[in-house]
Each structure stands twice: as structure tokens, then as C-alpha cells.
């Protein structure tokens, strides 16, 4: 009888890893559960909102504030709110801020947001982002320059009787206040239908030293669902390279935090069933790209682990699918050594489970584990060479982690 009990206990420990209460997970994150904003710190969960439909939480540089969207019931419109961890309250920098795109300053607690083509930035009052100033009109997408003194912005091309205009990027100082004399042309993307066709630019991201910026050059809406062009541009606006074709997923583009190397998931076609490959390039490009996805597989997310290692979410191809419901791609995490090319599986979901959204925060690796028939999932964590364990249950999506130097 004792032997049977022992076997049952062994089975439970293997199938359901136990996270010891004495081993704290030293992570701080904002997450969404049942559409509400929650905070976890020192393994303590705290609900921050009620009766809202929260989306897109983002941390301020110093970790005092969490900006987030509160969507209406239709999901079509969203208001920008801020949670102040010091004062433990939710507020708006201005009574009505309708937006879909917002970014914290990399050097202060100013928050910039785009509303109907108008770029605005908050003022700072008593250390809090409150009120706002108009910055520039005619903006479609934006991000901060690494020094926090200006914005890189795009303006959409117009369709003329002679065809589409070129795509223009501008450098806009924070203190522009609608003074067009302060706005400086930064780069013009020369496009054509047969090579690099685009009508806009989006997803601006900076390399670790701020010398290079990546972005997606996007064509018309239907075309963009199948293919976009990943580009890099020097911080002076003088050196430009188009480096690959890919879908329009922001997290599929990741700069190395150690050097000017970029990893992205290349491949055209809107469905995930084939032709999605992990590609890594040194910037500026001086050699052919290296593809790390073996034949018969697709990679559908990625993150840098070390200077020479990358994590990917990988599944088997499904070339047999042609029509009907799009099949679920049951991904699991793999570690790739980009020097040796050696690869190994590091997460082991059960049948009908998939692991997505890998994140690396210090010594921790985290990912989102879900099933194809449930709306919520779990957050799993692995610290160094230790065993993986379930950290959060019943979450709507991967959390937004706070760490000292968030990347743009």
C-alpha cells in the first residue's frame, strides 16, 4: 500500500511541478485576467481594475506607472488610462484620450500617444504625466528617439493619378507644438510595385546602442496580410537596407540586447502552416542571412536568451491544409545556438497544448501555455538551469514585465 502511495506522489510531482513558496519568483509584471488589469510582485497578485476591458498594458521607465487601454464593449474604441502604483489609483492624463498607439519616454515619465493622426505628449505635474501638448499633425505611426528628445514618425503615402507617393519619415522634436518649421525630413523610402512597395511604415524599434532602427514598410491592407518588408535605417537617416519579407507581427522582430544583430521570422503568406523561418542578420548587412529553422517546421515567435542563443516557438508544418478552419499550430520552445547551430527543445507541453510568447527577463525564461479550446492560459517560468513551473493561472495573454532598462 505504501509503495502505491509513493508511486502516486511521484506521478503527481512529475506531471504537476510544484513551485516552493520559499523560492520566490523575482519578477514584476502587469497581466490581464478576465479583461481586468492585475499586478504580480513578490509572488503576490493584486487586482487593479474592475468593470473594464483592459488591453495593452505598458510600464513607465521607472516602474511607477502602468499605461493601458480600456476598450468599449464593441472593442472598436479605446481610452488611455494610467495606474499610479505609488498613489494606488487609476486616472487619465486628460478627461478623454482615444488612441490605439502610445509609448512611454525612454528617459522620463512622459507618455506620447497618437489620436486621429495627431501626435500628443503629456506634461509632467508633480512627477506624474498629466495634461498634454500637441506635437504634430499627419502622423500614422511613431516612436521615441533613444534620447527622449524627439520622435521618429511616419506619414502615409497618398494615391495620386500617377500612382502612390513615396513614404516619408520625419524627425519631430518633443517641443514642436505644431510648429512645422521644427519638423525635419529624416528619410524617404523609394518604393515601386515590383521591388519594395509600401504606403506606410510602422513598428519602429532601436538597436541596443541606438545606432540603427528597424521598421516594417507596409503595403496596402490586403497585401500587408501576406507580406511586408523589414527595413533598417541608421540613426542619422543616411544608411538604409531592406533585409527581408515577413508578416506584420511586432514581436517577430527582436534586436539583440548585446550587439547590433537582429532576429526576425521571415516568410510570406498570411497562414502559419508553412514558410515561417527564424532569420538572423548582423547590421549593417554584410553577408547572406542565416536561416535556423529546420525543414518541415515553422517558427512563430522568438526571444534572445544570450549573445549567442535564441529561443523560438516551433511547430511542425502543415502543408496538407488547403481550406476550412485554419489549424492550430502546436508550438513548443526550442533553444538555438547561433554559432554551432545546435538546437534543443526546452518546453514540453501536453497534447493539445501550445507554448507561445517566450520572454527573457534576467535569469528567467517565461512563456504562455494555452490550449486550443480555452480562452485563458497559464504563465510558466524557468529560472536558469532549474525546472520549469507554473507561475500564473487563468490569464488572458502574456504579461507585460517590468525590468530596469525596457527596450523600445
Amino acid at each position: 500500500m505504501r509503495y502505491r502511495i509513493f508511486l502516486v506522489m511521484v506521478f503527481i510531482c512529475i506531471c504537476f511541478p510544484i513551485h516552493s513558496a520559499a523560492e520566490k519568483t523575482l519578477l514584476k509584471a502587469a497581466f490581464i485576467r478576465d479583461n481586468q488589469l492585475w499586478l504580480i510582485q513578490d509572488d503576490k497578485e493584486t487586482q487593479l481594475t474592475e468593470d473594464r476591458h483592459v488591453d495593452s498594458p505598458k510600464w513607465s521607465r521607472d516602474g511607477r506607472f502602468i499605461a493601458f487601454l480600456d476598450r468599449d464593449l464593441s472593442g472598436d474604441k479605446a481610452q488611455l488610462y494610467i495606474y499610479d502604483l505609488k498613489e494606488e489609483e487609476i486616472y487619465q492624463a486628460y478627461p478623454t484620450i482615444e488612441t490605439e498607439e502610445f509609448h512611454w519616454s525612454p528617459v522620463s515619465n512622459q507618455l506620447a500617444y497618437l489620436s486621429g493622426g495627431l501626435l500628443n505628449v503629456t506634461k509632467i505635474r508633480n512627477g506624474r504625466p498629466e495634461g498634454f501638448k500637441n506635437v504634430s499633425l499627419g502622423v500614422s505611426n511613431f516612436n521615441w528617439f533613444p534620447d527622449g528628445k524627439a520622435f521618429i514618425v511616419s506619414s502615409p503615402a497618398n494615391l495620386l493619378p500617377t500612382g502612390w507617393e513615396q513614404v516619408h519619415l520625419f524627425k519631430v522634436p518633443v517641443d514642436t507644438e505644431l510648429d512645422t518649421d521644427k519638423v525635419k525630413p529624416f528619410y524617404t523610402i523609394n518604393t515601386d510595385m515590383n521591388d519594395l512597395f509600401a504606403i506606410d511604415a510602422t513598428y519602429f524599434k532601436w538597436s541596443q546602442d541606438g545606432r540603427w532602427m528597424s521598421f516594417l514598410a507596409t503595403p496596402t491592407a490586403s497585401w500587408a496580410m501576406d507580406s511586408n518588408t523589414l527595413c533598417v535605417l541608421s540613426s542619422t537617416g543616411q544608411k538604409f537596407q531592406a533585409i527581408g519579407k515577413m508578416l506584420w507581427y511586432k514581436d517577430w522582430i527582436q534586436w539583440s540586447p548585446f550587439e547590433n544583430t537582429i532576429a526576425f521570422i521571415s516568410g510570406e503568406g498570411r497562414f502559419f502552416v508553412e514558410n515561417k523561418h527564424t532569420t538572423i542578420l548582423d547590421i549593417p548587412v554584410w553577408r547572406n542571412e542565416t536561416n535556423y529553422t529546420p525543414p518541415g517546421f515553422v517558427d512563430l515567435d522568438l526571444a534572445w536568451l544570450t549573445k549567442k542563443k535564441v529561443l523560438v516557438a516551433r511547430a511542425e508544418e502543415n502543408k496538407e491544409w488547403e481550406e476550412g478552419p485554419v489549424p492550430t499550430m502546436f508550438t513548443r520552445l526550442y533553444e538555438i545556438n547561433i554559432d554551432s547551430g545546435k538546437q534543443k527543445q526546452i518546453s514540453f507541453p501536453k497534447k493539445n497544448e501550445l507554448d507561445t510568447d517566450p520572454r527573457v527577463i534576467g535569469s528567467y525564461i517565461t512563456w504562455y501555455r494555452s490550449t486550443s479550446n480555452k480562452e485563458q492560459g497559464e504563465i510558466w517560468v524557468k529560472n536558469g538551469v532549474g525546472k520549469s513551473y507554473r507561475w500564473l493561472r487563468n490569464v488572458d495573454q502574456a504579461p507585460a514585465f517590468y525590468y530596469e532598462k525596457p527596450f523600445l
Side-chain angles (χ1 to χ4, degrees):
M1 181 66 180
R2 291 179 180 176
Y3 181 69
R4 289 181 179 178
I5 294 174
F6 172 75
L7 289 178
V8 170
M9 292 178 66
V10 170
F11 175 80
I12 292 173
C13 290
I14 292 174
C15 295
F16 304 97
I18 298 174
H19 174 42
S20 170
E23 300 175 5
K24 281 191 175 182
T25 302
L26 302 178
L27 292 173
K28 180 179 179 181
F31 67 96
I32 300 172
R33 174 183 287 150
D34 298 323
N35 297 320
Q36 303 310 311
L37 182 65
W38 289 67
L39 172 70
I40 181 166
Q41 186 174 10
D42 296 327
D43 283 340
K44 179 184 177 181
E45 299 179 19
T46 306
Q47 185 173 344
L48 304 181
T49 67
E50 295 181 355
D51 301 321
R52 296 183 184 273
H53 199 292
V54 174
D55 191 14
S56 306
K58 294 182 181 181
W59 288 94
S60 63
R61 179 191 61 85
D62 63 357
R64 175 179 171 178
F65 303 99
I66 306 169
F68 64 92
L69 299 180
D70 181 16
R71 296 196 175 277
D72 61 15
L73 293 178
S74 69
D76 295 332
K77 295 182 179 180
Q79 293 285 322
L80 180 61
Y81 285 83
I82 300 171
Y83 183 83
D84 185 341
L85 275 71
K86 181 180 178 180
E87 301 296 334
E88 298 184 345
E89 67 174 2
I90 298 169
Y91 74 98
Q92 284 190 290
Y94 188 76
T96 301
I97 300 178
E98 186 175 321
T99 186
E100 289 290 339
E101 185 175 2
F102 60 98
H103 300 287
W104 287 102
S105 165
V107 299
S108 72
N109 283 336
Q110 279 188 293
L111 183 61
Y113 60 92
L114 190 60
S115 184
L118 175 60
L119 178 61
N120 301 297
V121 65
T122 61
K123 301 175 183 178
I124 297 294
R125 294 174 181 164
N126 299 319
R128 295 179 13 144
E130 293 185 7
F132 73 95
K133 296 184 292 184
N134 298 140
V135 180
S136 180
L137 292 163
V139 177
S140 55
N141 299 284
F142 80 98
N143 207 342
W144 295 81
F145 271 80
D147 62 6
K149 297 179 180 179
F151 300 102
I152 179 71
V153 310
S154 61
S155 189
N158 294 311
L159 180 58
L160 306 177
T162 54
W164 285 97
E165 290 182 320
Q166 307 300 301
V167 178
H168 299 282
L169 306 182
F170 299 91
K171 186 173 184 177
V172 181
V174 173
D175 63 355
T176 295
E177 297 189 41
L178 304 182
D179 183 353
T180 56
D181 289 337
K182 293 183 178 182
V183 177
K184 303 301 180 185
F186 191 71
Y187 189 78
T188 299
I189 306 171
N190 295 313
T191 66
D192 65 75
M193 296 291 293
N194 298 318
D195 185 16
L196 198 174
F197 174 58
I199 64 170
D200 208 348
T202 188
Y203 298 158
F204 299 105
K205 290 187 174 185
W206 292 94
S207 62
Q208 51 86 29
D209 63 359
R211 295 177 60 189
W212 290 89
M213 174 183 65
S214 64
F215 62 89
L216 276 187
T218 59
T220 51
S222 180
W223 192 337
M225 293 182 69
D226 288 300
S227 180
N228 305 269
T229 303
L230 179 60
C231 306
V232 292
L233 181 64
S234 65
S235 59
T236 60
Q238 296 177 339
K239 298 179 181 179
F240 170 88
Q241 290 180 311
I243 62 174
K245 300 291 186 180
M246 63 177 295
L247 298 188
W248 56 9
Y249 296 102
K250 183 178 182 179
D251 289 341
W252 286 16
I253 308 165
Q254 297 291 342
W255 283 99
S256 167
F258 310 99
E259 54 191 355
N260 289 345
T261 302
I262 193 168
F264 62 101
I265 296 177
S266 62
E268 298 177 281
R270 70 188 65 185
F271 301 114
F272 294 171
V273 295
E274 60 179 332
N275 191 30
K276 305 295 177 286
H277 306 132
T278 295
T279 303
I280 299 177
L281 283 169
D282 295 323
I283 303 300
V285 177
W286 55 271
R287 60 175 173 81
N288 292 332
E289 64 185 35
T290 304
N291 182 341
Y292 290 92
T293 307
F297 291 86
V298 291
D299 290 342
L300 301 176
D301 215 337
L302 78 166
W304 285 91
L305 179 59
T306 68
K307 186 175 181 179
K308 298 299 179 182
K309 292 181 179 180
V310 172
L311 301 178
V312 299
R314 176 172 294 165
E316 295 183 15
E317 286 184 339
N318 190 346
K319 290 185 176 181
E320 291 75 20
W321 176 81
E322 292 183 355
E323 60 182 15
V326 180
T328 299
M329 306 302 288
F330 290 99
T331 51
R332 53 203 62 200
L333 301 190
Y334 285 77
E335 178 187 300
I336 302 172
N337 186 309
I338 63 177
D339 272 354
S340 68
K342 291 183 179 180
Q343 308 190 18
K344 64 178 181 180
Q345 184 176 341
I346 66 165
S347 80
F348 301 87
K350 299 175 185 177
K351 184 179 180 180
N352 295 325
E353 291 182 337
L354 56 154
D355 289 346
T356 59
D357 297 288
R359 300 286 187 270
V360 179
I361 304 94
S363 62
Y364 291 96
I365 299 171
T366 75
W367 62 91
Y368 182 70
R369 176 166 291 175
S370 59
T371 60
S372 57
N373 59 355
K374 292 184 179 179
E375 293 184 357
Q376 292 183 317
E378 304 167 339
I379 303 302
W380 283 65
V381 171
K382 187 175 187 295
N383 187 11
V385 296
K387 293 183 178 180
S388 60
Y389 56 90
R390 182 173 46 211
W391 185 49
L392 288 173
R393 302 170 184 261
N394 304 320
V395 296
D396 297 357
Q397 56 190 245
F401 291 96
Y402 174 73
Y403 38 104
E404 291 299 323
K405 294 182 179 180
F407 304 119
L408 290 177

